[in-house]
Amino acid sequence: MKTIGKLAKELGLGVETIRFYEREGLIKQPQKPQNGYRVYDDSITKQLQFICRAKALGFTLKEVASLMSMGGDCARVESLGLQKLRIIQSKINDLQGLEVVIKEMTNSCRNNNDQSHCPIIDSIK
Amino acid sequence: MKTIGKLAKELGLGVETIRFYEREGLIKQPQKPQNGYRVYDDSITKQLQFICRAKALGFTLKEVASLMSMGGDCARVESLGLQKLRIIQSKINDLQGLEVVIKEMTNSCRNNNDQSHCPIIDSIK
DNA sequence: GTAAACTCCGTAGGTAAGTACGGAGTCAAT
DNA sequence: ATTGACTCCGTACTTACCTACGGAGTTTAC
């Protein structure tokens, strides 16, 4: 049993962030004793770790909420995962395209001897 | 010479977006004749295309403003480019990591026969 | 026993890059 | 001459995800 500050510290989150997740319906407000302070047990830690991991995997908070509400509906979870996968793959593609373009640009810059203007600026114009 | 609506249409931008870029200092407010309407010549088209291209390369509007103010300082432009390149490469890395994890997760889902719970949800818990 | 640290709540602010609104003036076509 | 489209301006709203503030009550450490 711990209070919100300890929980936050334990997970590397801000107190406000935990309250925010509660407001957003990602976690439930725990029982509060006489003094009005939130008191958490260990199950909340798992839930918050779930949220953090899913976030790290690129899911938005809304999607995390969906995932959590799906319980164990494997087909639906899988479909959300596949959808994320497609998005991630297309992002990778885009970024690799950018990588090539920017590499070319900085190379042309490196080889430029004319101080009066820059091939990147010129080419982008 | 064209008014803001035509310019916007020509570039596929919104009128408000052009006004926004003006407010942000990316482009200058053009001369306005008696009626108060903005009137643009062709040089603005190049500037806005520059902005759009740089944005497509992953530069933020602030960075675009920097680039534009650098004139032809090749070394500085190159350094901004290389910095972007590093960011892009690390993003690609991260996303490829995610790709692997999500692939594994959806695969385990696909092979799951137990309807009562989902390996993705289980593993993330 | 008192000062520091913690918690409560609701609301406001911040970021990035726009997008929308409202009321007023202006221009083009019929 | 009137309708509809266009423009002006400043401000507020949007999305996603927090972060900060203010003022009050509570707990902990010395």
Side-chain angles (χ1 to χ4, degrees), chain A residues 50 53 56-57 67 71 74 77-78 81 88-89 92 95-96 98-99 102 109-110 112 118-119 121 124-125, chain B residues 50 53 56-57 67 71 74 77-78 81 88-89 92 95-96 98-99 102 109-110 112 118 120-121 124-125:
Chain A
F50 180 107
R53 280 185 215 154
L57 290 173
L67 282 173
C74 212
V77 174
E78 185 194 0
I88 287 169
Q89 284 168 339
I92 289 173
L95 288 174
Q96 282 172 339
L98 284 186
E99 189 184 8
I102 296 192
C109 220
R110 185 169 299 275
N112 175 40
C118 169
I121 295 290
I124 224 169
K125 258 178 188 161
Chain B
F50 181 108
R53 281 185 212 154
L57 291 173
L67 281 173
C74 212
V77 174
E78 186 194 0
I88 287 169
Q89 285 168 339
I92 289 173
L95 287 175
Q96 282 171 340
L98 284 186
E99 190 185 6
I102 295 192
C109 220
R110 184 167 299 273
N112 175 40
C118 170
I120 291 184
I121 295 290
I124 223 169
K125 259 178 187 160

mmCIF file of all heavy atoms in Angstrom, chain A residues 50 53 56-57 67 71 74 77-78 81 88-89 92 95-96 98-99 102 109-110 112 118-119 121 124-125, chain B residues 50 53 56-57 67 71 74 77-78 81 88-89 92 95-96 98-99 102 109-110 112 118 120-121 124-125:
data_model
loop_
_atom_site.group_PDB
_atom_site.id
_atom_site.type_symbol
_atom_site.label_atom_id
_atom_site.label_comp_id
_atom_site.label_asym_id
_atom_site.label_seq_id
_atom_site.Cartn_x
_atom_site.Cartn_y
_atom_site.Cartn_z
ATOM 1 N N PHE A 50 1.828 -1.573 -17.764
ATOM 2 C CA PHE A 50 1.169 -1.910 -19.029
ATOM 3 C C PHE A 50 1.030 -0.645 -19.885
ATOM 4 O O PHE A 50 1.408 -0.627 -21.056
ATOM 5 C CB PHE A 50 -0.202 -2.508 -18.745
ATOM 6 C CG PHE A 50 -0.987 -2.912 -19.967
ATOM 7 C CD1 PHE A 50 -1.154 -4.247 -20.293
ATOM 8 C CD2 PHE A 50 -1.568 -1.956 -20.789
ATOM 9 C CE1 PHE A 50 -1.877 -4.625 -21.417
ATOM 10 C CE2 PHE A 50 -2.287 -2.323 -21.914
ATOM 11 C CZ PHE A 50 -2.439 -3.664 -22.225
ATOM 12 N N ARG A 53 4.414 0.541 -21.189
ATOM 13 C CA ARG A 53 4.952 -0.312 -22.247
ATOM 14 C C ARG A 53 4.205 -0.122 -23.546
ATOM 15 O O ARG A 53 4.801 -0.024 -24.613
ATOM 16 C CB ARG A 53 4.850 -1.784 -21.828
ATOM 17 C CG ARG A 53 5.978 -2.166 -20.889
ATOM 18 C CD ARG A 53 5.947 -3.646 -20.567
ATOM 19 N NE ARG A 53 6.375 -3.839 -19.185
ATOM 20 C CZ ARG A 53 6.032 -4.849 -18.422
ATOM 21 N NH1 ARG A 53 5.230 -5.793 -18.895
ATOM 22 N NH2 ARG A 53 6.477 -4.944 -17.194
ATOM 23 N N ALA A 56 5.217 2.974 -25.078
ATOM 24 C CA ALA A 56 6.536 2.840 -25.678
ATOM 25 C C ALA A 56 6.466 2.093 -27.009
ATOM 26 O O ALA A 56 7.306 2.264 -27.884
ATOM 27 C CB ALA A 56 7.474 2.124 -24.717
ATOM 28 N N LEU A 57 5.454 1.261 -27.144
ATOM 29 C CA LEU A 57 5.277 0.545 -28.411
ATOM 30 C C LEU A 57 4.584 1.409 -29.455
ATOM 31 O O LEU A 57 4.340 0.968 -30.572
ATOM 32 C CB LEU A 57 4.459 -0.732 -28.183
ATOM 33 C CG LEU A 57 5.162 -1.834 -27.399
ATOM 34 C CD1 LEU A 57 4.195 -2.960 -27.098
ATOM 35 C CD2 LEU A 57 6.359 -2.356 -28.167
ATOM 36 N N LEU A 67 -7.102 -1.264 -25.611
ATOM 37 C CA LEU A 67 -6.432 -2.529 -25.316
ATOM 38 C C LEU A 67 -6.858 -3.062 -23.958
ATOM 39 O O LEU A 67 -7.188 -4.241 -23.802
ATOM 40 C CB LEU A 67 -4.917 -2.345 -25.320
ATOM 41 C CG LEU A 67 -4.248 -2.285 -26.685
ATOM 42 C CD1 LEU A 67 -2.780 -1.934 -26.531
ATOM 43 C CD2 LEU A 67 -4.385 -3.620 -27.413
ATOM 44 N N GLY A 71 -9.944 -6.764 -22.615
ATOM 45 C CA GLY A 71 -9.821 -7.951 -21.795
ATOM 46 C C GLY A 71 -8.935 -8.935 -22.520
ATOM 47 O O GLY A 71 -7.759 -8.687 -22.704
ATOM 48 N N CYS A 74 -8.553 -11.787 -28.202
ATOM 49 C CA CYS A 74 -7.305 -11.924 -28.928
ATOM 50 C C CYS A 74 -7.397 -11.389 -30.345
ATOM 51 O O CYS A 74 -6.503 -10.709 -30.832
ATOM 52 C CB CYS A 74 -6.942 -13.404 -28.963
ATOM 53 S SG CYS A 74 -5.187 -13.657 -28.967
ATOM 54 N N VAL A 77 -7.299 -7.636 -30.297
ATOM 55 C CA VAL A 77 -5.974 -7.164 -29.906
ATOM 56 C C VAL A 77 -5.002 -7.339 -31.066
ATOM 57 O O VAL A 77 -4.235 -6.433 -31.402
ATOM 58 C CB VAL A 77 -5.470 -7.932 -28.667
ATOM 59 C CG1 VAL A 77 -4.035 -7.538 -28.361
ATOM 60 C CG2 VAL A 77 -6.349 -7.634 -27.466
ATOM 61 N N GLU A 78 -5.100 -8.496 -31.701
ATOM 62 C CA GLU A 78 -4.202 -8.752 -32.828
ATOM 63 C C GLU A 78 -4.437 -7.742 -33.945
ATOM 64 O O GLU A 78 -3.489 -7.234 -34.544
ATOM 65 C CB GLU A 78 -4.427 -10.170 -33.366
ATOM 66 C CG GLU A 78 -3.445 -10.535 -34.468
ATOM 67 C CD GLU A 78 -3.867 -11.789 -35.236
ATOM 68 O OE1 GLU A 78 -4.917 -12.381 -34.912
ATOM 69 O OE2 GLU A 78 -3.134 -12.150 -36.166
ATOM 70 N N GLY A 81 -2.859 -4.576 -33.175
ATOM 71 C CA GLY A 81 -1.408 -4.728 -33.300
ATOM 72 C C GLY A 81 -0.954 -4.677 -34.746
ATOM 73 O O GLY A 81 0.023 -4.004 -35.081
ATOM 74 N N ILE A 88 3.792 1.618 -38.389
ATOM 75 C CA ILE A 88 5.216 1.686 -38.077
ATOM 76 C C ILE A 88 6.054 1.413 -39.320
ATOM 77 O O ILE A 88 7.030 2.115 -39.606
ATOM 78 C CB ILE A 88 5.558 0.658 -36.972
ATOM 79 C CG1 ILE A 88 5.018 1.151 -35.632
ATOM 80 C CG2 ILE A 88 7.066 0.428 -36.883
ATOM 81 C CD1 ILE A 88 5.058 0.099 -34.538
ATOM 82 N N GLN A 89 5.649 0.425 -40.097
ATOM 83 C CA GLN A 89 6.425 0.096 -41.293
ATOM 84 C C GLN A 89 6.402 1.238 -42.300
ATOM 85 O O GLN A 89 7.419 1.533 -42.928
ATOM 86 C CB GLN A 89 5.892 -1.201 -41.907
ATOM 87 C CG GLN A 89 6.341 -2.421 -41.095
ATOM 88 C CD GLN A 89 5.624 -3.693 -41.478
ATOM 89 O OE1 GLN A 89 4.541 -3.672 -42.056
ATOM 90 N NE2 GLN A 89 6.227 -4.832 -41.133
ATOM 91 N N ILE A 92 8.769 3.876 -41.076
ATOM 92 C CA ILE A 92 10.157 3.493 -41.326
ATOM 93 C C ILE A 92 10.522 3.805 -42.769
ATOM 94 O O ILE A 92 11.563 4.394 -43.061
ATOM 95 C CB ILE A 92 10.373 1.999 -41.018
ATOM 96 C CG1 ILE A 92 10.308 1.754 -39.511
ATOM 97 C CG2 ILE A 92 11.724 1.526 -41.555
ATOM 98 C CD1 ILE A 92 10.351 0.291 -39.105
ATOM 99 N N LEU A 95 10.943 7.520 -43.342
ATOM 100 C CA LEU A 95 12.163 8.041 -42.725
ATOM 101 C C LEU A 95 13.390 7.612 -43.494
ATOM 102 O O LEU A 95 14.355 8.355 -43.625
ATOM 103 C CB LEU A 95 12.248 7.578 -41.269
ATOM 104 C CG LEU A 95 11.259 8.262 -40.324
ATOM 105 C CD1 LEU A 95 11.316 7.646 -38.935
ATOM 106 C CD2 LEU A 95 11.563 9.749 -40.230
ATOM 107 N N GLN A 96 13.351 6.390 -44.037
ATOM 108 C CA GLN A 96 14.505 5.947 -44.817
ATOM 109 C C GLN A 96 14.640 6.771 -46.088
ATOM 110 O O GLN A 96 15.757 7.072 -46.525
ATOM 111 C CB GLN A 96 14.380 4.454 -45.116
ATOM 112 C CG GLN A 96 14.769 3.618 -43.900
ATOM 113 C CD GLN A 96 14.475 2.140 -44.066
ATOM 114 O OE1 GLN A 96 13.648 1.748 -44.889
ATOM 115 N NE2 GLN A 96 15.138 1.318 -43.270
ATOM 116 N N LEU A 98 13.764 9.913 -46.321
ATOM 117 C CA LEU A 98 14.335 11.171 -45.833
ATOM 118 C C LEU A 98 15.820 11.036 -45.584
ATOM 119 O O LEU A 98 16.604 11.923 -45.890
ATOM 120 C CB LEU A 98 13.692 11.561 -44.503
ATOM 121 C CG LEU A 98 12.299 12.124 -44.549
ATOM 122 C CD1 LEU A 98 11.906 12.590 -43.170
ATOM 123 C CD2 LEU A 98 12.259 13.264 -45.537
ATOM 124 N N GLU A 99 16.201 9.906 -45.030
ATOM 125 C CA GLU A 99 17.602 9.663 -44.697
ATOM 126 C C GLU A 99 18.462 9.821 -45.945
ATOM 127 O O GLU A 99 19.479 10.504 -45.933
ATOM 128 C CB GLU A 99 17.739 8.249 -44.123
ATOM 129 C CG GLU A 99 19.110 7.968 -43.548
ATOM 130 C CD GLU A 99 19.238 6.529 -43.070
ATOM 131 O OE1 GLU A 99 18.324 5.709 -43.321
ATOM 132 O OE2 GLU A 99 20.280 6.214 -42.464
ATOM 133 N N ILE A 102 18.554 13.538 -47.146
ATOM 134 C CA ILE A 102 19.364 14.423 -46.298
ATOM 135 C C ILE A 102 20.839 14.068 -46.374
ATOM 136 O O ILE A 102 21.699 14.937 -46.374
ATOM 137 C CB ILE A 102 18.843 14.404 -44.841
ATOM 138 C CG1 ILE A 102 17.423 14.990 -44.821
ATOM 139 C CG2 ILE A 102 19.753 15.217 -43.932
ATOM 140 C CD1 ILE A 102 16.893 15.293 -43.466
ATOM 141 N N CYS A 109 26.979 19.419 -49.550
ATOM 142 C CA CYS A 109 27.408 20.558 -48.762
ATOM 143 C C CYS A 109 28.886 20.425 -48.412
ATOM 144 O O CYS A 109 29.662 21.367 -48.519
ATOM 145 C CB CYS A 109 26.586 20.581 -47.477
ATOM 146 S SG CYS A 109 26.079 22.204 -46.961
ATOM 147 N N ARG A 110 29.249 19.237 -47.993
ATOM 148 C CA ARG A 110 30.618 18.957 -47.582
ATOM 149 C C ARG A 110 31.612 19.187 -48.720
ATOM 150 O O ARG A 110 32.752 19.584 -48.512
ATOM 151 C CB ARG A 110 30.681 17.512 -47.082
ATOM 152 C CG ARG A 110 32.001 17.075 -46.510
ATOM 153 C CD ARG A 110 31.852 15.736 -45.807
ATOM 154 N NE ARG A 110 30.908 15.831 -44.691
ATOM 155 C CZ ARG A 110 31.253 16.235 -43.469
ATOM 156 N NH1 ARG A 110 32.502 16.554 -43.194
ATOM 157 N NH2 ARG A 110 30.358 16.309 -42.513
ATOM 158 N N ASN A 112 31.248 21.244 -51.165
ATOM 159 C CA ASN A 112 31.070 22.554 -51.773
ATOM 160 C C ASN A 112 32.223 23.486 -51.394
ATOM 161 O O ASN A 112 32.557 23.632 -50.226
ATOM 162 C CB ASN A 112 29.753 23.148 -51.275
ATOM 163 C CG ASN A 112 29.554 24.563 -51.768
ATOM 164 O OD1 ASN A 112 29.867 24.881 -52.901
ATOM 165 N ND2 ASN A 112 29.033 25.409 -50.889
ATOM 166 N N CYS A 118 24.946 27.900 -50.691
ATOM 167 C CA CYS A 118 24.929 26.545 -50.176
ATOM 168 C C CYS A 118 24.054 25.659 -51.067
ATOM 169 O O CYS A 118 22.923 26.013 -51.380
ATOM 170 C CB CYS A 118 24.331 26.597 -48.772
ATOM 171 S SG CYS A 118 23.946 24.993 -48.091
ATOM 172 N N PRO A 119 24.585 24.517 -51.487
ATOM 173 C CA PRO A 119 23.818 23.643 -52.373
ATOM 174 C C PRO A 119 22.507 23.134 -51.765
ATOM 175 O O PRO A 119 21.548 22.879 -52.490
ATOM 176 C CB PRO A 119 24.770 22.480 -52.645
ATOM 177 C CG PRO A 119 25.845 22.567 -51.639
ATOM 178 C CD PRO A 119 25.926 23.976 -51.206
ATOM 179 N N ILE A 121 20.527 24.828 -49.653
ATOM 180 C CA ILE A 121 19.574 25.919 -49.806
ATOM 181 C C ILE A 121 19.175 26.057 -51.268
ATOM 182 O O ILE A 121 18.003 26.198 -51.605
ATOM 183 C CB ILE A 121 20.192 27.238 -49.279
ATOM 184 C CG1 ILE A 121 20.447 27.141 -47.772
ATOM 185 C CG2 ILE A 121 19.270 28.413 -49.592
ATOM 186 C CD1 ILE A 121 19.205 27.136 -46.922
ATOM 187 N N ILE A 124 16.857 23.146 -52.434
ATOM 188 C CA ILE A 124 15.543 23.126 -51.802
ATOM 189 C C ILE A 124 14.680 24.253 -52.351
ATOM 190 O O ILE A 124 13.467 24.194 -52.326
ATOM 191 C CB ILE A 124 15.733 23.225 -50.262
ATOM 192 C CG1 ILE A 124 14.834 22.235 -49.539
ATOM 193 C CG2 ILE A 124 15.510 24.607 -49.777
ATOM 194 C CD1 ILE A 124 15.187 22.110 -48.069
ATOM 195 N N LYS A 125 15.342 25.270 -52.895
ATOM 196 C CA LYS A 125 14.637 26.473 -53.388
ATOM 197 C C LYS A 125 13.779 26.172 -54.611
ATOM 198 O O LYS A 125 14.128 25.343 -55.418
ATOM 199 C CB LYS A 125 15.651 27.565 -53.715
ATOM 200 C CG LYS A 125 15.694 28.615 -52.603
ATOM 201 C CD LYS A 125 16.726 29.678 -52.902
ATOM 202 C CE LYS A 125 16.889 30.588 -51.677
ATOM 203 N NZ LYS A 125 18.136 31.334 -51.708
ATOM 204 N N PHE B 50 9.673 26.145 -50.664
ATOM 205 C CA PHE B 50 10.831 25.845 -49.809
ATOM 206 C C PHE B 50 10.333 25.344 -48.446
ATOM 207 O O PHE B 50 10.764 24.296 -47.946
ATOM 208 C CB PHE B 50 11.680 27.099 -49.633
ATOM 209 C CG PHE B 50 12.907 26.914 -48.782
ATOM 210 C CD1 PHE B 50 14.175 26.897 -49.349
ATOM 211 C CD2 PHE B 50 12.816 26.761 -47.403
ATOM 212 C CE1 PHE B 50 15.312 26.725 -48.569
ATOM 213 C CE2 PHE B 50 13.934 26.589 -46.607
ATOM 214 C CZ PHE B 50 15.186 26.570 -47.196
ATOM 215 N N ARG B 53 8.769 21.868 -48.704
ATOM 216 C CA ARG B 53 9.757 20.805 -48.912
ATOM 217 C C ARG B 53 10.545 20.523 -47.648
ATOM 218 O O ARG B 53 10.769 19.374 -47.278
ATOM 219 C CB ARG B 53 10.723 21.202 -50.036
ATOM 220 C CG ARG B 53 10.110 20.984 -51.379
ATOM 221 C CD ARG B 53 11.105 21.264 -52.494
ATOM 222 N NE ARG B 53 10.371 21.772 -53.645
ATOM 223 C CZ ARG B 53 10.871 22.546 -54.587
ATOM 224 N NH1 ARG B 53 12.149 22.912 -54.537
ATOM 225 N NH2 ARG B 53 10.119 22.944 -55.580
ATOM 226 N N ALA B 56 8.552 18.646 -45.313
ATOM 227 C CA ALA B 56 8.444 17.255 -45.727
ATOM 228 C C ALA B 56 9.710 16.473 -45.377
ATOM 229 O O ALA B 56 9.668 15.257 -45.194
ATOM 230 C CB ALA B 56 8.167 17.166 -47.223
ATOM 231 N N LEU B 57 10.830 17.191 -45.283
ATOM 232 C CA LEU B 57 12.078 16.536 -44.894
ATOM 233 C C LEU B 57 12.177 16.365 -43.385
ATOM 234 O O LEU B 57 13.154 15.838 -42.867
ATOM 235 C CB LEU B 57 13.277 17.338 -45.399
ATOM 236 C CG LEU B 57 13.471 17.341 -46.917
ATOM 237 C CD1 LEU B 57 14.584 18.306 -47.293
ATOM 238 C CD2 LEU B 57 13.804 15.931 -47.403
ATOM 239 N N LEU B 67 16.799 27.880 -41.292
ATOM 240 C CA LEU B 67 17.385 27.591 -42.596
ATOM 241 C C LEU B 67 17.273 28.807 -43.515
ATOM 242 O O LEU B 67 18.241 29.188 -44.178
ATOM 243 C CB LEU B 67 16.654 26.417 -43.248
ATOM 244 C CG LEU B 67 17.029 25.019 -42.763
ATOM 245 C CD1 LEU B 67 16.117 23.978 -43.371
ATOM 246 C CD2 LEU B 67 18.482 24.715 -43.107
ATOM 247 N N GLY B 71 20.737 32.124 -45.031
ATOM 248 C CA GLY B 71 21.211 32.568 -46.327
ATOM 249 C C GLY B 71 21.964 31.432 -46.972
ATOM 250 O O GLY B 71 21.410 30.401 -47.277
ATOM 251 N N CYS B 74 26.844 27.561 -45.583
ATOM 252 C CA CYS B 74 26.828 26.135 -45.862
ATOM 253 C C CYS B 74 27.152 25.295 -44.633
ATOM 254 O O CYS B 74 26.509 24.286 -44.383
ATOM 255 C CB CYS B 74 27.854 25.861 -46.943
ATOM 256 S SG CYS B 74 27.412 24.510 -48.006
ATOM 257 N N VAL B 77 24.147 25.163 -42.368
ATOM 258 C CA VAL B 77 23.077 24.383 -42.975
ATOM 259 C C VAL B 77 23.411 22.891 -42.891
ATOM 260 O O VAL B 77 22.572 22.063 -42.521
ATOM 261 C CB VAL B 77 22.861 24.795 -44.448
ATOM 262 C CG1 VAL B 77 21.842 23.869 -45.104
ATOM 263 C CG2 VAL B 77 22.387 26.233 -44.540
ATOM 264 N N GLU B 78 24.649 22.585 -43.185
ATOM 265 C CA GLU B 78 25.076 21.187 -43.124
ATOM 266 C C GLU B 78 24.918 20.632 -41.712
ATOM 267 O O GLU B 78 24.449 19.515 -41.516
ATOM 268 C CB GLU B 78 26.537 21.054 -43.561
ATOM 269 C CG GLU B 78 26.984 19.608 -43.649
ATOM 270 C CD GLU B 78 28.493 19.461 -43.752
ATOM 271 O OE1 GLU B 78 29.193 20.502 -43.755
ATOM 272 O OE2 GLU B 78 28.966 18.311 -43.821
ATOM 273 N N GLY B 81 21.466 19.861 -41.009
ATOM 274 C CA GLY B 81 21.100 18.662 -41.774
ATOM 275 C C GLY B 81 21.591 17.394 -41.103
ATOM 276 O O GLY B 81 20.846 16.411 -40.971
ATOM 277 N N ILE B 88 16.684 11.268 -37.392
ATOM 278 C CA ILE B 88 15.948 10.360 -38.256
ATOM 279 C C ILE B 88 16.460 8.934 -38.091
ATOM 280 O O ILE B 88 15.685 7.980 -37.983
ATOM 281 C CB ILE B 88 16.069 10.807 -39.729
ATOM 282 C CG1 ILE B 88 15.212 12.052 -39.955
ATOM 283 C CG2 ILE B 88 15.651 9.696 -40.676
ATOM 284 C CD1 ILE B 88 15.464 12.727 -41.287
ATOM 285 N N GLN B 89 17.777 8.798 -38.040
ATOM 286 C CA GLN B 89 18.339 7.456 -37.908
ATOM 287 C C GLN B 89 17.953 6.817 -36.593
ATOM 288 O O GLN B 89 17.667 5.623 -36.532
ATOM 289 C CB GLN B 89 19.857 7.516 -38.088
ATOM 290 C CG GLN B 89 20.238 7.707 -39.558
ATOM 291 C CD GLN B 89 21.686 8.047 -39.771
ATOM 292 O OE1 GLN B 89 22.362 8.532 -38.850
ATOM 293 N NE2 GLN B 89 22.171 7.837 -40.979
ATOM 294 N N ILE B 92 14.402 5.669 -36.855
ATOM 295 C CA ILE B 92 14.303 4.436 -37.640
ATOM 296 C C ILE B 92 14.647 3.242 -36.760
ATOM 297 O O ILE B 92 13.945 2.232 -36.746
ATOM 298 C CB ILE B 92 15.243 4.496 -38.868
ATOM 299 C CG1 ILE B 92 14.703 5.485 -39.898
ATOM 300 C CG2 ILE B 92 15.386 3.113 -39.507
ATOM 301 C CD1 ILE B 92 15.621 5.746 -41.081
ATOM 302 N N LEU B 95 11.866 2.487 -34.313
ATOM 303 C CA LEU B 95 10.696 1.915 -34.970
ATOM 304 C C LEU B 95 10.958 0.474 -35.382
ATOM 305 O O LEU B 95 10.070 -0.380 -35.317
ATOM 306 C CB LEU B 95 10.306 2.760 -36.184
ATOM 307 C CG LEU B 95 9.660 4.103 -35.840
ATOM 308 C CD1 LEU B 95 9.428 4.925 -37.093
ATOM 309 C CD2 LEU B 95 8.346 3.905 -35.108
ATOM 310 N N GLN B 96 12.198 0.184 -35.789
ATOM 311 C CA GLN B 96 12.503 -1.193 -36.168
ATOM 312 C C GLN B 96 12.439 -2.120 -34.961
ATOM 313 O O GLN B 96 12.006 -3.264 -35.064
ATOM 314 C CB GLN B 96 13.868 -1.256 -36.861
ATOM 315 C CG GLN B 96 13.761 -0.782 -38.308
ATOM 316 C CD GLN B 96 15.098 -0.622 -38.994
ATOM 317 O OE1 GLN B 96 16.132 -0.494 -38.327
ATOM 318 N NE2 GLN B 96 15.080 -0.615 -40.311
ATOM 319 N N LEU B 98 10.424 -1.635 -32.411
ATOM 320 C CA LEU B 98 8.990 -1.805 -32.211
ATOM 321 C C LEU B 98 8.417 -2.820 -33.184
ATOM 322 O O LEU B 98 7.578 -3.645 -32.830
ATOM 323 C CB LEU B 98 8.253 -0.492 -32.458
ATOM 324 C CG LEU B 98 8.345 0.560 -31.395
ATOM 325 C CD1 LEU B 98 7.440 1.722 -31.744
ATOM 326 C CD2 LEU B 98 7.925 -0.057 -30.073
ATOM 327 N N GLU B 99 8.876 -2.733 -34.412
ATOM 328 C CA GLU B 99 8.375 -3.621 -35.456
ATOM 329 C C GLU B 99 8.553 -5.079 -35.022
ATOM 330 O O GLU B 99 7.622 -5.883 -35.096
ATOM 331 C CB GLU B 99 9.140 -3.352 -36.756
ATOM 332 C CG GLU B 99 8.541 -4.032 -37.960
ATOM 333 C CD GLU B 99 9.399 -3.836 -39.208
ATOM 334 O OE1 GLU B 99 10.508 -3.274 -39.104
ATOM 335 O OE2 GLU B 99 8.940 -4.257 -40.284
ATOM 336 N N ILE B 102 6.217 -5.981 -32.022
ATOM 337 C CA ILE B 102 4.801 -6.099 -32.387
ATOM 338 C C ILE B 102 4.565 -7.300 -33.290
ATOM 339 O O ILE B 102 3.562 -7.999 -33.162
ATOM 340 C CB ILE B 102 4.293 -4.788 -33.026
ATOM 341 C CG1 ILE B 102 4.339 -3.687 -31.969
ATOM 342 C CG2 ILE B 102 2.863 -4.957 -33.534
ATOM 343 C CD1 ILE B 102 3.628 -2.424 -32.335
ATOM 344 N N CYS B 109 -0.302 -14.196 -31.005
ATOM 345 C CA CYS B 109 -1.748 -14.078 -30.982
ATOM 346 C C CYS B 109 -2.358 -15.019 -32.012
ATOM 347 O O CYS B 109 -3.337 -15.718 -31.745
ATOM 348 C CB CYS B 109 -2.119 -12.638 -31.339
ATOM 349 S SG CYS B 109 -3.463 -11.964 -30.389
ATOM 350 N N ARG B 110 -1.773 -15.001 -33.175
ATOM 351 C CA ARG B 110 -2.294 -15.814 -34.265
ATOM 352 C C ARG B 110 -2.255 -17.306 -33.935
ATOM 353 O O ARG B 110 -3.114 -18.078 -34.374
ATOM 354 C CB ARG B 110 -1.457 -15.526 -35.520
ATOM 355 C CG ARG B 110 -1.902 -16.210 -36.782
ATOM 356 C CD ARG B 110 -1.198 -15.604 -37.985
ATOM 357 N NE ARG B 110 -1.513 -14.179 -38.117
ATOM 358 C CZ ARG B 110 -2.579 -13.720 -38.774
ATOM 359 N NH1 ARG B 110 -3.408 -14.559 -39.356
ATOM 360 N NH2 ARG B 110 -2.804 -12.441 -38.862
ATOM 361 N N ASN B 112 -2.500 -18.583 -31.009
ATOM 362 C CA ASN B 112 -3.165 -18.865 -29.735
ATOM 363 C C ASN B 112 -4.519 -19.547 -29.954
ATOM 364 O O ASN B 112 -5.336 -19.096 -30.745
ATOM 365 C CB ASN B 112 -3.385 -17.537 -28.995
ATOM 366 C CG ASN B 112 -4.173 -17.724 -27.738
ATOM 367 O OD1 ASN B 112 -3.981 -18.698 -27.008
ATOM 368 N ND2 ASN B 112 -5.072 -16.786 -27.474
ATOM 369 N N CYS B 118 -5.568 -13.493 -24.000
ATOM 370 C CA CYS B 118 -4.750 -13.121 -25.146
ATOM 371 C C CYS B 118 -3.292 -12.993 -24.734
ATOM 372 O O CYS B 118 -2.991 -12.313 -23.755
ATOM 373 C CB CYS B 118 -5.265 -11.785 -25.665
ATOM 374 S SG CYS B 118 -4.209 -11.042 -26.878
ATOM 375 N N ILE B 120 -0.916 -11.320 -25.961
ATOM 376 C CA ILE B 120 -0.408 -9.939 -25.996
ATOM 377 C C ILE B 120 -0.721 -9.248 -24.687
ATOM 378 O O ILE B 120 0.155 -8.666 -24.040
ATOM 379 C CB ILE B 120 -1.035 -9.138 -27.152
ATOM 380 C CG1 ILE B 120 -0.520 -9.655 -28.493
ATOM 381 C CG2 ILE B 120 -0.705 -7.650 -27.006
ATOM 382 C CD1 ILE B 120 -1.009 -8.880 -29.688
ATOM 383 N N ILE B 121 -1.976 -9.335 -24.321
ATOM 384 C CA ILE B 121 -2.390 -8.721 -23.065
ATOM 385 C C ILE B 121 -1.620 -9.344 -21.907
ATOM 386 O O ILE B 121 -1.105 -8.639 -21.034
ATOM 387 C CB ILE B 121 -3.912 -8.904 -22.859
ATOM 388 C CG1 ILE B 121 -4.689 -8.154 -23.940
ATOM 389 C CG2 ILE B 121 -4.335 -8.418 -21.482
ATOM 390 C CD1 ILE B 121 -4.641 -6.659 -23.849
ATOM 391 N N ILE B 124 2.141 -8.236 -21.875
ATOM 392 C CA ILE B 124 2.356 -6.820 -21.606
ATOM 393 C C ILE B 124 2.067 -6.516 -20.131
ATOM 394 O O ILE B 124 2.559 -5.544 -19.568
ATOM 395 C CB ILE B 124 1.451 -6.000 -22.560
ATOM 396 C CG1 ILE B 124 2.209 -4.814 -23.140
ATOM 397 C CG2 ILE B 124 0.181 -5.582 -21.911
ATOM 398 C CD1 ILE B 124 1.458 -4.150 -24.283
ATOM 399 N N LYS B 125 1.307 -7.407 -19.519
ATOM 400 C CA LYS B 125 0.897 -7.186 -18.129
ATOM 401 C C LYS B 125 2.049 -7.267 -17.136
ATOM 402 O O LYS B 125 2.962 -8.034 -17.323
ATOM 403 C CB LYS B 125 -0.182 -8.201 -17.735
ATOM 404 C CG LYS B 125 -1.582 -7.578 -17.784
ATOM 405 C CD LYS B 125 -2.661 -8.584 -17.432
ATOM 406 C CE LYS B 125 -4.035 -7.948 -17.671
ATOM 407 N NZ LYS B 125 -5.078 -8.963 -17.816
#
